[in-house]
Amino acid sequence: MNFFLSLPAAIKDCFAVNLLKESLEQQGHRTSTNDRTGNTIKLVIDTSVVPDPEGYRLGQEGHTIHIIGGSANGLKFGVLSLMEHVQSSDSPAIAHPREECPDLPFRAFKCNLPWDSYRLGEAMRANVETCRDPRFWTALLDHLARCRFNALTLWNLHPFPYMVQCPDFPEASPFTSEEMAEWHKLWSHIFTEASYRGIQTYIIWWNIFVPDGFREKYGSTPKVPLHLAGIGDDRPVVKDYTRQCIEQLIETYPELTGIGVSLGERMGKMSPQARQDWVEDVVFPVLRTASRPVKFIHRAPFTTDPAILRSSVEKADLPGETIVEMKFNWSHGHSSPNLCMTHNAERGKDRDVKLLPRDYWEPAPKSYKMAWMVRNEDFFVLRWGQPEFIRQHIRTNGHPYVAGYFVGSEGYIPALELAVSPEHPNRNWTYAFERQWLFTFAWGRLLYNNSTSDDVFVRELARRYGPRAAPLLFEGLSLGSRMPLRLASFYAGTWDYSLYSEGFLAPFSSVGPFDTESNLISVEDLMAHDTLDDSLMSIKEYVKWKLTRATEEARQTTPLQLADDLVADARRIEQIVAELEALEGVSNKAFAFECTDIAMWGDLSRYFAEKLRGATALLL
């Protein structure tokens, strides 16, 4: 069958159209943008039909398939939708029209950079080479676009020396002109390829850092073993240098969408007002005088009165959109869909919800929108996908004052594959994000359309592993992926290394009396630790209730009820794995890894359940 592609100028060179062509041709169809014979796939931008820029309408009249978008981005999503239909159907024909518009306008993937990184260690150093390879960024951006993410946020302590050279501060650059040209080529590739896919890009940094060359000439906060600690240096020369860095960044990379700041690091002995004054003195003037509108992300400071930020942003009168980012349940967003704490929030003895910094969003702000940061510091090796958790999260927290979400990790970069050796005969992927593809696929698709059905995920699994394996894989992954959510909801963690759910570890102290005695979450830890989510009863609370009010009906989920739920999941997972292992004819080599990961989630579920039961019995 021949298809004539009728394309508007805005989308003639679009990666989604190229993917559609490939999908049609793989099924034996011919595509052309010149030959008008045969069937037609007609793409049109019409804001009167689809007013949302990222929305689309897909349907068919006779031999013509129509894709109408609210913009080039909307058309892109419509083309991707048709491509997925082609991949899962024997015919490109559209039996039933479909229409989608985004539920949330800001859908960002968070990626920390391995140079001048926030966290230190071999995992960071090992990723430098991969993250300097343009092929990685092209592959990641392709994946994010298919997942319906529309923003890539890149985080770094002090990114400027790797991106620009300031005329008035040549000593700040550690690179030769040839080396700088290579860095410029990399950044230009990232921003251009992102723009090509309709993905916004943001550079976000911490404060107040300066490079070694600047420090040697002008002095400044010396390097210290705790590389994030230090007294804030807000001298005029540091402000001038930082302003010029931002100016150069904006002018050098016209396809960079926005910038962002995170206050706190290297701002020791500065008051909350002084920290915000730094933003007003250094960042806001550049944004106001830039040659183009630049969007701005302001991480909600964890050591300040929300009124300081609100007042500052309201009077700034910035030309671009402003988003205030806040960590949802601190570093462990994959826990409860209920907002139980934020970064450094005091919980109080009764964990009064009023202690949340609601003044950021009550009353609803007029000068900015909130965006939740859902961090993942809890599973890096095992495949994860729990769409119903994501749906519930968005339904619960997608308020009118919320622009959207950030999703990603701090110390884990999904670039170099460290979990499976490249020599393993069944490894058929290159990058870490390709192993955890369902994590980003589920988050992105549901942030775009929270009504996306499980059928979409089953079809994607079927495309990879076949129609017989797909429903079982989806059920097994969905059940197994509840285990880390339950652990993080039951065992309250705070900062990054206070909880690692897939390892059943609490390497550093959070809010428990036995935190420093063992990296493994011990029976003693479980007996003494608070829950994150008040809908769950801790073991010590359960024992008190059992001894004093056992005749009353428990209004919270008890530890033993949670254990029963975990065991029920584990039993069903065992059945699913047995059925999967009995299947024949699955050609994708990664299938064995999917099955193993599901089985391991089942084992962890049973382990968690037995530990809950044992700890409860010991304390009673």
Side-chain angles (χ1 to χ4, degrees), residues 421-436:
S421 167
E423 286 77 33
H424 196 290
N426 287 344
R427 174 175 156 179
N428 59 1
W429 64 91
T430 303
Y431 303 112
F433 74 83
E434 295 172 315
R435 170 174 42 82
Q436 275 280 21

Side-chain angles (χ1 to χ4, degrees), residues 113-115 131-132 134 137 141 152 154-156 158-164 175 179-194 201-203 249 252-253 255-256:
L113 296 169
W115 43 84
C131 287
R132 291 200 66 175
W137 294 105
L141 289 163
L152 172 65
L154 302 172
W155 300 63
N156 191 253
H158 190 68
F160 305 110
Y162 302 87
M163 303 187 76
V164 295
F175 302 113
E179 291 170 327
M180 202 66 218
E182 287 299 310
W183 280 109
H184 182 270
K185 184 178 178 181
L186 174 66
W187 295 113
S188 296
H189 174 87
I190 295 171
F191 302 148
T192 301
E193 291 294 298
T201 45
Y202 294 81
I203 293 292
L249 182 69
T252 304
Y253 301 101
E255 290 184 309
L256 175 66

Side-chain angles (χ1 to χ4, degrees), residues 363-619:
K366 297 179 181 179
S367 53
Y368 61 83
K369 287 282 188 88
M370 300 294 299
W372 304 119
M373 171 68 77
V374 179
R375 287 268 293 277
N376 169 32
E377 311 302 336
D378 302 283
F379 42 83
F380 306 136
V381 177
L382 301 181
R383 290 158 175 81
W384 184 93
Q386 227 297 328
E388 189 50 40
F389 165 77
I390 300 171
R391 288 192 193 96
Q392 187 178 353
H393 205 296
I394 297 167
R395 286 196 299 265
T396 305
N397 304 288
H399 308 290
Y401 54 79
V402 173
Y405 282 65
F406 300 78
V407 180
S409 303
E410 196 78 82
Y412 174 70
I413 300 174
L416 179 66
E417 174 57 282
L418 296 169
V420 180
S421 167
E423 286 77 33
H424 196 290
N426 287 344
R427 174 175 156 179
N428 59 1
W429 64 91
T430 303
Y431 303 112
F433 74 83
E434 295 172 315
R435 170 174 42 82
Q436 275 280 21
W437 67 270
L438 186 56
F439 171 81
T440 40
F441 191 72
W443 265 111
R445 294 301 295 265
L446 290 165
L447 286 170
Y448 179 77
N449 180 359
N450 198 35
S451 300
T452 298
S453 72
D454 288 344
D455 292 342
V456 169
F457 308 113
V458 174
R459 283 199 299 269
E460 182 62 22
L461 283 161
R463 187 178 72 83
R464 294 164 182 262
Y465 303 109
R468 291 192 301 155
L472 291 168
L473 286 169
F474 179 76
E475 184 184 0
L477 284 165
S478 297
L479 291 173
S481 297
R482 295 201 289 208
M483 179 270 161
L485 304 175
R486 285 169 166 160
L487 178 58
S489 297
F490 184 83
Y491 189 93
T494 54
W495 68 291
D496 308 15
Y497 300 157
S498 63
L499 180 62
Y500 174 46
S501 296
E502 73 180 356
F504 216 84
L505 300 174
F508 290 88
S509 177
S510 57
V511 288
F514 297 101
D515 283 351
T516 59
E517 295 188 8
S518 169
N519 285 346
L520 181 70
I521 298 175
S522 65
V523 169
E524 288 85 358
D525 287 325
L526 287 178
M527 287 192 292
H529 212 79
D530 288 334
T531 63
L532 174 74
D533 192 325
D534 290 342
S535 68
L536 300 175
M537 189 182 293
S538 70
I539 291 175
K540 58 187 178 182
E541 290 171 333
Y542 172 74
V543 169
K544 182 179 179 180
W545 169 79
K546 189 74 174 175
L547 295 176
T548 60
R549 302 193 305 277
T551 56
E552 301 176 15
E553 183 178 353
R555 287 177 286 184
Q556 300 161 282
T557 299
T558 71
L560 297 183
Q561 289 170 335
L562 180 59
D564 290 343
D565 291 340
L566 287 159
V567 169
D569 283 355
R571 286 173 177 164
R572 176 55 187 152
I573 286 172
E574 289 171 1
Q575 296 171 348
I576 289 170
V577 171
E579 293 180 54
L580 288 169
E581 290 177 343
L583 288 177
E584 296 179 356
V586 180
S587 59
N588 190 327
K589 293 180 179 180
F591 176 68
F593 288 105
E594 300 272 4
C595 296
T596 300
D597 285 6
I598 293 170
M600 291 181 72
W601 282 129
D603 291 342
L604 280 167
S605 296
R606 193 179 290 278
Y607 174 78
F608 184 18
E610 292 305 317
K611 222 159 188 179
L612 283 171
R613 289 170 172 171
T616 303
L618 280 172
L619 201 58

Side-chain angles (χ1 to χ4, degrees), residues 208-497:
I208 304 171
F209 294 88
V210 296
D212 290 341
F214 183 97
R215 182 182 295 108
E216 290 168 5
K217 180 169 182 177
Y218 297 101
S220 191
T221 306
K223 283 192 172 181
V224 289
L226 294 174
H227 72 302
L228 302 181
I231 297 172
D233 185 352
D234 59 350
R235 289 176 300 155
V237 67
V238 177
K239 289 184 176 182
D240 290 343
Y241 162 69
T242 308
R243 282 192 208 99
Q244 191 168 122
C245 283
I246 302 170
E247 290 169 353
Q248 292 290 311
L249 182 69
I250 293 170
E251 293 303 313
T252 304
Y253 301 101
E255 290 184 309
L256 175 66
T257 310
I259 61 173
V261 296
S262 177
L263 299 184
E265 280 74 18
R266 285 291 171 94
M267 288 184 137
K269 296 191 176 180
M270 292 174 67
S271 68
Q273 184 62 60
R275 296 180 183 191
Q276 191 63 41
D277 289 345
W278 166 268
V279 177
E280 291 187 12
D281 294 343
V282 174
V283 181
F284 288 172
V286 181
L287 291 174
R288 281 193 291 263
T289 59
S291 60
R292 59 187 175 88
V294 178
K295 297 185 179 183
F296 180 57
I297 294 171
H298 196 322
R299 166 166 279 180
F302 49 81
T303 56
T304 188
D305 182 343
I308 294 176
L309 182 147
R310 287 189 71 134
S311 174
S312 175
V313 175
E314 284 168 2
K315 71 183 182 183
D317 192 26
L318 300 177
E321 177 185 52
T322 298
I323 287 175
V324 173
E325 173 264 345
M326 177 167 285
K327 295 180 187 177
F328 194 99
N329 289 342
W330 208 323
S331 293
H332 302 280
H334 290 85
S335 50
S336 168
N338 300 317
L339 182 60
C340 306
M341 69 160 65
T342 57
H343 197 152
N344 275 17
E346 294 289 339
R347 300 181 76 205
K349 293 182 179 179
D350 57 354
R351 290 178 285 177
D352 188 347
V353 74
K354 292 180 181 177
L355 294 175
L356 294 172
R358 293 180 173 274
D359 289 348
Y360 280 116
W361 59 85
E362 291 182 356
K366 297 179 181 179
S367 53
Y368 61 83
K369 287 282 188 88
M370 300 294 299
W372 304 119
M373 171 68 77
V374 179
R375 287 268 293 277
N376 169 32
E377 311 302 336
D378 302 283
F379 42 83
F380 306 136
V381 177
L382 301 181
R383 290 158 175 81
W384 184 93
Q386 227 297 328
E388 189 50 40
F389 165 77
I390 300 171
R391 288 192 193 96
Q392 187 178 353
H393 205 296
I394 297 167
R395 286 196 299 265
T396 305
N397 304 288
H399 308 290
Y401 54 79
V402 173
Y405 282 65
F406 300 78
V407 180
S409 303
E410 196 78 82
Y412 174 70
I413 300 174
L416 179 66
E417 174 57 282
L418 296 169
V420 180
S421 167
E423 286 77 33
H424 196 290
N426 287 344
R427 174 175 156 179
N428 59 1
W429 64 91
T430 303
Y431 303 112
F433 74 83
E434 295 172 315
R435 170 174 42 82
Q436 275 280 21
W437 67 270
L438 186 56
F439 171 81
T440 40
F441 191 72
W443 265 111
R445 294 301 295 265
L446 290 165
L447 286 170
Y448 179 77
N449 180 359
N450 198 35
S451 300
T452 298
S453 72
D454 288 344
D455 292 342
V456 169
F457 308 113
V458 174
R459 283 199 299 269
E460 182 62 22
L461 283 161
R463 187 178 72 83
R464 294 164 182 262
Y465 303 109
R468 291 192 301 155
L472 291 168
L473 286 169
F474 179 76
E475 184 184 0
L477 284 165
S478 297
L479 291 173
S481 297
R482 295 201 289 208
M483 179 270 161
L485 304 175
R486 285 169 166 160
L487 178 58
S489 297
F490 184 83
Y491 189 93
T494 54
W495 68 291
D496 308 15
Y497 300 157

